[in-house]
Amino acid sequence: MERRNIQVLLANRPQGWVQESDFLFTETVLPSLMEGEVLIKHLYLSLDPYMRGTMNDAKSYARKVELGQVMRGGTIGVVEATKHPDFQENDLVSGYFGWQQYSIFNGQDVLGRNVRKISPKDGIAPSVYLGALGMPGVTAWIGLQTIGQPKAGETVVVSAASGAVGSVAGQLAKIQGCRVVGIAGGKTKCDYVINELGFDSCVDYKAGHLAEDLARATPEGVDIYFENVGGEILETVSQRLNPFARIPLCGLISQYNEISPQGFHNFGALLTLRAKIQGFNVQDANTNLWQEAINELEQLLLTRKLKYRESIVDGIEQAPKAFIGMLKGKNFGKQLVKLT
Amino acid sequence: MERRNIQVLLANRPQGWVQESDFLFTETVLPSLMEGEVLIKHLYLSLDPYMRGTMNDAKSYARKVELGQVMRGGTIGVVEATKHPDFQENDLVSGYFGWQQYSIFNGQDVLGRNVRKISPKDGIAPSVYLGALGMPGVTAWIGLQTIGQPKAGETVVVSAASGAVGSVAGQLAKIQGCRVVGIAGGKTKCDYVINELGFDSCVDYKAGHLAEDLARATPEGVDIYFENVGGEILETVSQRLNPFARIPLCGLISQYNEISPQGFHNFGALLTLRAKIQGFNVQDANTNLWQEAINELEQLLLTRKLKYRESIVDGIEQAPKAFIGMLKGKNFGKQLVKLT
């Protein structure tokens, strides 16, 4: 049986805002399986902000994608055919198999811990292993616990609070007894952050009076700022920091498409406040830490203490548009592309 | 016997560069000692960059000085008269007794660990307890060891390398087996940093090609940047950082007199490099850590493994001018004012 595989390639390195024309679709015929290989049919592709970095011709923690190559991305898929003893038909497999419908995997774990067989617990959908129980969830856990180190009673602010990472970071801080304030774009997201995720407060940065609203929401200042955004939001939150504040620097999504990123103007506050800011990437964490994070997140999910939301578009053809929308904050929760 | 005490008061809060006219001299007659009090004749006043922050009407880790009050500052002095059982005539005492010739101290340690009786070891001059064995030395030790955490073979860059803090930080890193590169202003300071302090290299930021010179001096990039300066020097060093770099943020002397400090433009590098920057102030460290630092520094000094240099001006009348000179980098090593 001939199987056709639609792939999304990087066509241009964007200058400034990424465009749909920076991607190119191609269709190939999959070769027959060789001994030791596994054919994985992808169920979902994860779209994440870090991918914007892989499109640049610059050093980044996310290795760049070469022009004409398949865009990198996390997937979850099902084994459709196997000539590898460790994989059975219908096994669920997550890995960084890219923006395509199928992949052929030779069992060599070329990307380290990234290829995993998944055994979903009662009623947890496979897609969740790309979100709350995947890279974004572990990112939230590691940034909050290892850099933020929250103590009960502290105030934690999370930007991009309704997103895949922010929503988990805030809920974890809340579980640890912190006052948790989200920042999100628009009333719908803010309502969700408060009513569904259980944050104490959420500030709508699009409402036009971020500084005042944030001051009202953080009467005792800010001890931890889980940073996903950068730019004006960083400047504003930095005005509310308490002495010894910690800033896990997870992302700077407001700056990824800027030709001249704006940096951090109020940088001197780090000195006067003896504050810490630390960039991190979940891929640097060791396997034990990943497992600890996933175990805890899974337990919280099963006991309904951890909520999440997904935005799913249907079909690989939608991936570029959905990716651009996510960079503009149009998604709501974890952005996925359904591939099958 | 009537004793007269010349004091330096804060007369104006400077906007931008501090001027000599921002200080006011006054002369008072010291009252007689009451029971429980100690009269300390100051031998030396320490001049330090943090003092610029105390002149502003803004929150800072250094509490502000009120207009008309004595400028705050570290001193070392000798007990000239005592009505306190814990102090004997000729005891050496260090403390934050301010820009004045004498102080009367009631034995209450109002500033915590800052008041200490000093017993100089063989041949160590009292002034050293304001420099390499005082606040600047402990600052270097704490920033390097607790935030920088150097490992042998790493490259450490130190700005203001010939100064009271930078000179100690770099020598400590060298002792721990690091490649140490200083940044200083002018050939004389750079020669001193290499030939006397034993750094591997020193870049003269006034020579006009900092980026090229720094690249040549750090062929394997920068793992730790001990930051005293900020501004363009920070931007330039940030281009050389390695993944997982640590930046103990000790000072931003290039920005203290700027009405609009320039912030940190290349801030996004912290994310891509998973780097850490952490502001700190030695006064936050606990007594045990201070003692550990001083013991180690004293040992290094006695065994001549730690070098230092002092710039001493004579007479309290010289304090404002020397302070302004220090902010402009005109001093060479630890800046002191000899008061007696």
Side-chain angles (χ1 to χ4, degrees):
Chain A
M1 187 181 88
E2 188 183 275
R3 281 197 193 76
R4 304 183 79 82
N5 180 31
I6 298 180
Q7 303 178 308
V8 185
L9 312 182
L10 178 63
N12 300 299
R13 299 205 183 278
Q15 300 298 316
W17 267 98
V18 53
Q19 310 287 333
E20 289 191 54
S21 57
D22 295 324
F23 302 95
L24 185 71
F25 286 87
T26 183
E27 189 169 357
T28 61
V29 174
L30 287 163
S32 306
L33 278 195
M34 313 238 286
E35 207 52 48
E37 289 184 336
V38 182
L39 175 68
I40 302 171
K41 182 169 76 171
H42 300 162
L43 302 175
Y44 292 96
L45 165 68
S46 175
L47 294 179
D48 301 281
Y50 78 83
M51 292 167 169
R52 179 62 185 82
T54 70
M55 301 175 80
N56 293 335
D57 191 16
K59 70 178 173 186
S60 166
Y61 59 75
R63 256 178 317 138
K64 71 181 177 188
V65 173
E66 298 300 335
L67 287 174
Q69 295 293 302
V70 178
M71 283 290 295
R72 195 172 303 123
T75 53
I76 188 149
V78 60
V79 173
E80 194 166 279
T82 174
K83 292 192 174 178
H84 190 292
D86 295 346
F87 292 86
Q88 309 302 317
E89 261 186 53
N90 295 318
D91 277 355
L92 273 178
V93 179
S94 74
Y96 278 74
F97 292 117
W99 295 29
Q100 55 185 338
Q101 294 173 307
Y102 287 90
S103 51
I104 289 174
F105 174 52
N106 68 1
Q108 298 298 310
D109 192 356
V110 286
L111 288 170
R113 77 186 67 77
N114 296 325
V115 178
R116 296 190 293 140
K117 281 208 275 187
I118 302 288
S119 308
K121 293 270 167 60
D122 331 290
I124 297 183
S127 62
V128 180
Y129 291 86
L130 292 176
L133 292 183
M135 183 276 283
V138 179
T139 295
W141 191 96
I142 284 178
L144 186 73
Q145 310 297 37
T146 70
I147 300 173
Q149 301 181 345
K151 292 186 276 293
E154 290 190 321
T155 297
V156 179
V157 170
V158 180
S159 56
S162 70
V165 175
S167 61
V168 175
Q171 290 179 90
L172 287 175
K174 188 70 196 156
I175 288 165
Q176 284 169 82
C178 296
R179 174 177 175 79
V180 181
V181 176
I183 300 176
K187 184 170 186 320
T188 309
K189 286 183 180 176
C190 278
D191 286 349
Y192 166 73
V193 165
I194 295 172
N195 299 329
E196 289 294 314
L197 302 181
F199 287 29
D200 295 283
S201 181
C202 188
V203 175
D204 174 8
Y205 72 85
K206 292 182 175 170
H209 23 75
L210 176 60
E212 297 80 353
D213 292 350
L214 188 71
R216 205 170 307 119
T218 60
E220 296 179 33
V222 175
D223 301 296
I224 298 175
Y225 175 40
F226 194 103
E227 174 59 306
N228 291 308
V229 170
E232 286 309 313
I233 293 180
L234 170 62
E235 301 294 347
T236 307
V237 178
S238 76
Q239 303 288 346
R240 300 291 307 157
L241 294 177
N242 287 330
F244 309 107
R246 289 85 71 196
I247 306 180
L249 177 58
C250 178
L252 292 169
I253 196 170
S254 75
Q255 303 298 305
Y256 293 160
N257 290 284
E258 298 299 325
I259 289 170
S260 298
Q262 72 177 79
F264 182 19
H265 184 77
N266 190 29
F267 172 73
L270 298 180
L271 177 61
T272 53
L273 298 171
R274 294 86 88 204
K276 176 174 77 172
I277 185 157
Q278 185 167 355
F280 71 101
N281 181 291
V282 68
Q283 305 297 356
D284 298 320
N286 67 38
T287 312
N288 289 344
L289 213 56
W290 269 79
Q291 203 50 59
E292 185 183 347
I294 286 181
N295 291 347
E296 185 177 325
L297 293 165
E298 201 167 50
Q299 200 51 42
L300 291 170
L301 212 64
L302 290 169
T303 54
R304 299 183 194 284
K305 288 177 186 148
L306 186 67
K307 310 284 182 62
Y308 65 92
R309 177 183 283 230
E310 296 171 336
S311 280
I312 302 180
V313 296
D314 201 358
I316 195 164
E317 299 76 9
Q318 303 300 318
K321 189 178 171 189
F323 177 62
I324 294 167
M326 181 194 64
L327 292 174
K328 292 182 174 170
K330 291 186 180 166
N331 62 311
F332 195 157
K334 172 64 201 156
Q335 181 67 58
L336 297 164
V337 182
K338 190 168 185 300
L339 296 179
T340 308
Chain B
M1 186 181 87
E2 189 183 274
R3 281 198 196 74
R4 306 185 77 83
N5 180 30
I6 298 179
Q7 303 178 309
V8 186
L9 312 182
L10 178 62
N12 301 298
R13 298 205 182 279
Q15 301 296 318
W17 267 98
V18 54
Q19 309 288 334
E20 289 192 52
S21 58
D22 294 324
F23 302 96
L24 185 70
F25 286 87
T26 182
E27 190 169 356
T28 60
V29 174
L30 288 163
S32 306
L33 279 194
M34 312 237 289
E35 207 51 48
E37 289 184 338
V38 183
L39 175 69
I40 302 170
K41 183 170 76 171
H42 301 162
L43 302 175
Y44 292 95
L45 165 67
S46 175
L47 294 179
D48 300 282
Y50 78 83
M51 293 167 170
R52 179 63 185 82
T54 71
M55 302 176 80
N56 292 337
D57 192 16
K59 70 178 174 189
S60 166
Y61 59 75
R63 258 178 317 138
K64 71 181 177 187
V65 173
E66 298 299 336
L67 287 174
Q69 295 292 302
V70 178
M71 283 290 295
R72 195 172 304 124
T75 53
I76 187 148
V78 60
V79 172
E80 193 167 279
T82 175
K83 292 190 174 180
H84 190 293
D86 295 347
F87 292 86
Q88 309 303 316
E89 260 186 53
N90 296 319
D91 278 354
L92 273 178
V93 178
S94 74
Y96 279 73
F97 291 118
W99 294 30
Q100 55 184 336
Q101 295 173 306
Y102 287 90
S103 52
I104 289 174
F105 173 53
N106 68 0
Q108 298 297 310
D109 192 355
V110 286
L111 289 168
R113 79 187 66 77
N114 296 325
V115 177
R116 295 191 294 140
K117 283 208 276 187
I118 302 287
S119 308
K121 293 269 167 64
D122 335 287
I124 297 182
S127 61
V128 179
Y129 292 86
L130 292 176
L133 293 182
M135 183 275 282
V138 179
T139 295
W141 191 96
I142 285 177
L144 186 73
Q145 310 297 37
T146 70
I147 301 172
Q149 300 180 346
K151 292 187 276 294
E154 289 189 322
T155 297
V156 179
V157 170
V158 181
S159 56
S162 70
V165 175
S167 60
V168 176
Q171 290 179 88
L172 288 175
K174 189 69 197 157
I175 288 165
Q176 283 168 84
C178 297
R179 173 177 174 80
V180 180
V181 176
I183 300 175
K187 184 171 187 320
T188 310
K189 286 183 179 174
C190 278
D191 286 348
Y192 166 73
V193 165
I194 295 172
N195 299 329
E196 289 295 312
L197 301 182
F199 287 29
D200 295 284
S201 182
C202 187
V203 175
D204 174 8
Y205 71 86
K206 293 182 175 169
H209 23 73
L210 177 59
E212 296 80 353
D213 292 349
L214 188 71
R216 205 170 308 119
T218 59
E220 296 180 32
V222 175
D223 300 296
I224 298 175
Y225 176 39
F226 194 104
E227 173 60 306
N228 292 306
V229 169
E232 286 309 314
I233 293 179
L234 169 62
E235 301 295 348
T236 307
V237 178
S238 75
Q239 303 288 346
R240 301 291 305 156
L241 295 177
N242 287 330
F244 310 107
R246 291 84 73 195
I247 306 180
L249 176 57
C250 178
L252 292 168
I253 196 169
S254 75
Q255 303 299 305
Y256 293 160
N257 290 284
E258 298 299 325
I259 290 171
S260 299
Q262 73 177 79
F264 182 20
H265 183 79
N266 191 29
F267 172 73
L270 298 180
L271 176 61
T272 52
L273 298 170
R274 296 86 88 202
K276 175 173 79 170
I277 186 159
Q278 184 167 355
F280 72 101
N281 182 294
V282 67
Q283 306 298 353
D284 298 321
N286 68 38
T287 312
N288 290 344
L289 213 55
W290 268 78
Q291 203 51 59
E292 185 183 346
I294 286 182
N295 290 347
E296 186 176 326
L297 293 166
E298 201 166 48
Q299 201 51 43
L300 292 170
L301 212 63
L302 290 170
T303 55
R304 300 184 191 286
K305 288 178 187 148
L306 185 68
K307 309 285 181 65
Y308 65 93
R309 180 183 282 228
E310 296 171 335
S311 282
I312 303 179
V313 296
D314 200 358
I316 196 164
E317 299 77 10
Q318 303 300 320
K321 188 176 170 192
F323 177 62
I324 294 167
M326 181 195 63
L327 292 174
K328 293 182 173 168
K330 290 185 180 166
N331 62 312
F332 195 157
K334 172 65 200 155
Q335 181 66 59
L336 298 164
V337 182
K338 189 169 186 300
L339 296 178
T340 307

